[in-house]
Structure formats: C-alpha cells, structure tokens
Amino acid sequence: AQTVTQSQPEMSVQEAETVTLSCTYDTSENNYYLFWYKQPPSRQMILVIRQEAYKQQNATENRFSVNFQKAAKSFSLKISDSQLGDTAMYFCAFTWGGSNYKLTFGKGTLLTVNP
Amino acid sequence: SQTIHQWPATLVQPVGSPLSLECTVEGTSNPNLYWYRQAAGRGLQLLFYSVGIGQISSEVPQNLSASRPQDRQFILSSKKLLLSDSGFYLCARGKDGANVLTFGAGSRLTVL
C-alpha cells in the first residue's frame, strides 16, 4: 500500500519569507508521480506543482519549488516570497501508473502567512 | 475546458434520509472520474472511481454508492445517511493525457 505522511499539521510564516513543507511517502512502485495541492478557505483544490519520479530535476513553478529526494522518499515544497494568498491547507499526494491515477493524499499542512 | 460542476454546494440532511450528489464534467469524452470525501481535520479519502460508463470501483466499504449513467456524469448516493457521512465531497476528473486530477468546488454535507 502507498502512504503519504505530512508531519507538520500547522505552520506559519511571515509575508515575503520562505517556508518549506515536508512530505514523505512509501511505495514499492517505480513509475509514480508526486503532487502538491493547495486548498484555500474556498476549499477549491488547486494543483500547485507536479513531479515525475523518473525526473531527477526538481520541479519549479514560479515561487514554488520542490526538493525531491527519491532514495529518501521525501518530497518537500518550498514557497519563496510568501504572500497572504498562500494561506491555505497544502496536501501532498501520490499516484502511480498502474492505479488509474488514483491519488493518495497526506493529511495536510495548514499554512498561515502573517502580514 | 476541464470544468467540473458539482451540486448541491451545501446540503443538510437528517439521519436516515437519502442522498444524491451530482457531478458533471466538461471536456473530452471518457474521462476517469473520482469521488473523494474530506472529513473535518483530515485528508482526502478516495471513495469511488470510474473509468467509463457503468464502471464503478469502490475503495472503501461504506454506506455510499456511485453511478455513472452518462459519460460525463458521476453520481454519489446513499439510501440512508449516517452521522458519519458528514463531510466535504469532491468530484475530480483525470486531465486528458496527463496524470493530473482537476477538482470541482465540492459539496458540503451535514447529517443531523
């Protein structure tokens, strides 16, 4: 079974600062994908960033980047220049090719950006 | 367009009453469709997924059922709601040609 663990239930950061959210996962699959989704107070799930396991290069999307450590099964999200609009619940998620792309989610980290 | 429509947005139902949550999607045909539930303070739990009309896979034994009567329609149902069915229900579709899920705005169910 695949599991995703987010060990930080809540975090806070000052506006314009950098914050890193942690995620670890467990799998025996080789062909898999990792994601970070954001759920703001509106509760709409929004894809933040995606990483293919076969790619060694860490994914980046503007102020969001990941540190993908395949051997350690770690997938952290770094948010640079934090903005008030980044306040949200962040979910780490995992899927693999033979699963019909069903996502397995971690329990989430509530990030609060303070002015 | 990958738009996903969910309704109702909010629902308050008594214990023992029936439930029907509807999800319709736009975009290319034959998408993979998913129902997730998010209980208070918890992550998202996959309930059902469908790879085609009439094809439903259940992930968690429970009081709920799902149906896919049309290609772009996915319905979550219950004959008799339990208190534990309360939660936020999200419909999602697979993005064409990619392993990314797009989510609807969700339906909040409160069972009293």
Side-chain angles (χ1 to χ4, degrees):
Chain A
Q2 334 299 327
T3 60
V4 178
T5 302
Q6 293 180 250
S7 58
Q8 306 152 314
E10 294 186 36
M11 295 188 71
S12 62
V13 64
Q14 292 299 121
E15 196 175 7
E17 297 292 307
T18 295
V19 64
T20 299
L21 308 183
S22 300
C23 173
T24 58
Y25 59 94
D26 190 23
T27 183
S28 58
E29 302 290 335
N30 288 316
N31 177 29
Y32 60 89
Y33 308 85
L34 296 160
F35 307 84
W36 280 97
Y37 278 85
K38 166 184 177 180
Q39 188 181 40
S42 68
R43 303 202 75 172
Q44 175 73 56
M45 292 288 287
I46 302 166
L47 177 68
V48 175
I49 202 165
R50 176 182 68 162
Q51 175 80 43
E52 291 90 341
Y54 64 85
K55 289 187 177 179
Q56 293 185 335
Q57 185 174 8
N58 290 324
T60 62
E61 287 287 343
N62 300 314
R63 297 183 294 106
F64 299 87
S65 61
V66 299
N67 183 4
F68 174 46
Q69 300 291 326
K70 190 172 183 179
K73 296 181 180 176
S74 170
F75 183 60
S76 61
L77 174 69
K78 185 172 80 171
I79 306 174
S80 304
D81 186 25
S82 297
Q83 301 175 359
L84 297 178
D86 294 334
T87 292
M89 183 73 82
Y90 286 82
F91 292 98
C92 180
F94 168 101
T95 192
W96 69 105
S99 71
N100 286 311
Y101 299 119
K102 298 176 292 183
L103 283 176
T104 299
F105 285 87
K107 291 189 175 181
T109 296
L110 178 60
L111 176 67
T112 302
V113 180
N114 299 308
Chain B
S1 171
Q2 300 286 323
T3 303
I4 301 172
H5 304 277
Q6 283 190 246
W7 70 90
T10 305
L11 194 60
V12 180
Q13 292 287 98
V15 169
S17 63
L19 171 74
S20 180
L21 299 180
E22 189 160 344
C23 170
T24 59
V25 304
E26 298 178 7
T28 57
S29 61
N30 201 33
N32 284 3
L33 299 175
Y34 309 81
W35 276 112
Y36 281 86
R37 177 170 60 196
Q38 185 177 22
R42 301 180 65 178
L44 280 75
Q45 178 187 39
L46 178 63
L47 302 176
F48 301 95
Y49 72 96
S50 172
V51 299
I53 296 174
Q55 300 179 62
I56 307 295
S57 295
S58 175
E59 292 293 301
V60 182
Q62 63 214 327
N63 184 41
L64 303 170
S65 61
S67 62
R68 187 169 177 176
Q70 300 181 44
D71 182 49
R72 296 187 179 90
Q73 185 184 31
F74 201 25
I75 298 172
L76 184 69
S77 303
S78 173
K79 292 182 179 178
K80 290 185 177 181
L81 284 168
L82 306 172
L83 289 174
S84 58
D85 292 325
S86 293
F88 190 62
Y89 289 82
L90 286 156
C91 178
R93 69 164 289 164
K95 188 174 181 181
D96 305 325
N99 47 42
V100 174
L101 295 194
T102 303
F103 287 84
S107 296
R108 182 185 301 275
L109 170 65
T110 302
V111 182
L112 302 176

